[in-house]
């Protein structure tokens, strides 16, 4: 089966000792490309360093909502400079998180807006993390409002992206009607091991609604291990577990799904 991992933080410290082995394991599992998102300036630079060593990886640069309060204008200027690099295929990860509150929400909004503006300016899709507390949806609703305010569902996005999605909803989490909304807005949706957790049951219905050319799968390594993966450190090869679940939800063979995932990765990241 052909695979991609649309979101794996293989530049994280936890992989520093054996990244070569981890990437080799991914190749053996059929993973053809991994998008490596930064979460702050240093991790974004580290993603680019890794892409220089392994050209089958792609980089993304941006600031995570958890780090929104700690990255100032100087750090942001580094992100903007790196975003011009052709090996940078997306802006992020960014987004909103009202669950854990590592940065105050107003700081997260300021951070999100400048990441979104950078995505529009570069024509590189924004990678969006979005989590609310269990059974709440305030972060999802706020994210949709921000995307609409900046024209991610209209002419500004079309001018910058043509028919490509202007953003990727990473590690999908939320109610079914939110899923419908972001699909209607033309965004790409990426599913992670989060789909197996209690409280995320609506994801199964969303999977069936995503057009093939906008359907992605990811590990969010080293986080969110799916069933069977090591609890302590998820790795890109385990993307196959979530991919198999996607195929099941869509009633597709692994081969058909896998070919679609590879094509969607190239389309969404402008590699075709
Ligand atoms: Zn992530």
């Amino acid at each position: 089966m052909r695979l991609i991992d649309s979101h794996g933080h293989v530049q994280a410290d936890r992989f520093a000792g054996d990244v070569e082995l981890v990437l080799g394991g991914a190749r053996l599992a059929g993973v053809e490309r991994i998008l490596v998102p930064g979460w702050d300036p240093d991790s974004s630079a580290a993603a680019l360093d890794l892409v220089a060593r392994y050209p089958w990886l792609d980089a993304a640069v941006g600031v995570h909502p958890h780090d929104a309060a700690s990255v100032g204008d100087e750090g942001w200027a580094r992100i903007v400079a790196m975003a011009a690099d052709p090996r940078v295929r997306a802006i992020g990860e960014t987004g909103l998180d009202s669950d854990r509150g590592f940065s105050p929400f107003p700081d997260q909004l300021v951070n999100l807006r400048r990441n979104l503006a950078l995505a529009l300016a570069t024509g590189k899709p924004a990678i969006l993390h979005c989590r609310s507390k269990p059974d709440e949806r305030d972060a999802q609703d706020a994210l949709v409002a921000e995307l609409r305010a900046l024209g991610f569902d209209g002419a500004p996005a079309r001018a910058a992206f043509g028919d490509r999605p202007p953003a990727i909803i990473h590690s999908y989490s939320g109610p079914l009607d939110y899923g419908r909304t972001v699909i209607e807005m033309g965004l790409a949706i990426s599913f992670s091991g989060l789909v197996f957790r209690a409280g995320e049951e609506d994801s199964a219905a969303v999977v069936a609604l995503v057009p093939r050319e906008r359907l992605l799968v990811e590990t969010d390594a080293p986080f969110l291990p799916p069933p069977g993966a090591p609890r302590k450190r998820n790795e890109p090869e385990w993307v196959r577990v979530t991919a198999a679940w996607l195929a099941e939800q869509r009633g597709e063979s692994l081969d058909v799904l896998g070919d679609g995932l590879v094509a969607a990765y190239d389309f969404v990241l402008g590699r075709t």
Side-chain angles (χ1 to χ4, degrees):
M1 180 187 191
R2 303 179 72 196
L3 284 168
I4 49 86
D5 182 352
S6 77
H7 196 111
H9 300 287
V10 285
Q11 83 277 47
D13 285 348
R14 275 189 258 179
F15 292 111
D18 62 350
V19 70
E20 180 93 29
L21 270 174
V22 168
L23 294 177
R27 294 296 272 189
L28 282 174
V31 177
E32 297 181 13
R33 297 203 78 89
I34 304 173
L35 180 64
V36 184
W39 56 88
D40 64 6
D42 285 346
S43 57
S44 296
L48 267 170
D49 288 345
L50 214 50
V51 169
R53 283 165 61 196
Y54 304 98
W56 60 280
L57 308 182
D58 297 293
V61 301
V63 179
H64 195 285
H66 291 340
D67 300 286
S70 58
V71 176
D73 290 343
E74 234 168 85
W76 180 248
R78 286 177 63 200
I79 297 285
V80 172
M82 286 186 276
D85 191 307
R87 296 167 304 170
V88 170
R89 291 285 176 180
I91 304 302
E93 68 180 283
T94 189
L96 295 172
D97 191 309
S98 60
D99 183 16
R100 281 157 292 176
F102 292 133
S103 281
F105 209 71
D107 292 334
Q108 293 187 34
L109 285 170
V110 170
N111 178 60
L112 171 66
R113 287 168 190 153
R114 63 183 179 187
N115 277 267
L116 291 177
L118 183 58
L120 285 176
T122 55
K124 300 179 182 186
I127 304 172
L128 301 172
H129 166 114
C130 194
R131 301 278 291 277
S132 301
K133 291 193 189 307
D135 298 320
E136 293 182 19
R137 56 177 298 157
D138 53 303
Q140 283 86 351
D141 291 342
L143 180 67
V144 168
E146 293 296 322
L147 289 167
R148 289 206 163 115
L150 281 173
F152 271 67
D153 59 344
R158 274 195 301 278
F161 290 90
D163 63 347
R164 290 170 47 225
I168 302 164
I169 301 291
H170 130 71
S171 193
Y172 182 85
S173 170
L176 177 56
D177 72 287
Y178 161 69
R180 281 189 205 283
T181 299
V182 291
I183 291 167
E184 274 164 25
M185 291 172 79
L187 310 189
I189 318 283
S190 182
F191 294 91
S192 72
L194 195 60
V195 300
F196 298 103
R197 289 206 192 158
E200 302 291 346
E201 290 77 8
D202 282 0
S203 297
V206 177
V207 169
L209 301 175
V210 185
R212 176 177 306 284
E213 68 277 10
R214 292 192 264 136
L215 176 70
L216 297 170
V217 70
E218 63 174 79
T219 54
D220 201 17
F223 310 112
L224 303 179
R231 298 288 96 189
K232 273 169 48 196
R233 190 185 74 170
N234 193 11
E235 298 171 13
E237 67 176 278
W238 294 97
V239 77
R240 61 190 151 84
V241 175
T242 308
W245 180 85
L246 288 180
E248 202 182 303
Q249 304 311 313
R250 289 170 71 89
E252 293 174 2
S253 71
L254 292 177
D255 285 340
V256 167
L257 181 88
D259 290 349
L261 291 171
V262 174
Y265 182 98
D266 288 343
F267 172 62
V268 172
L269 298 181
R271 289 176 23 85
T272 47

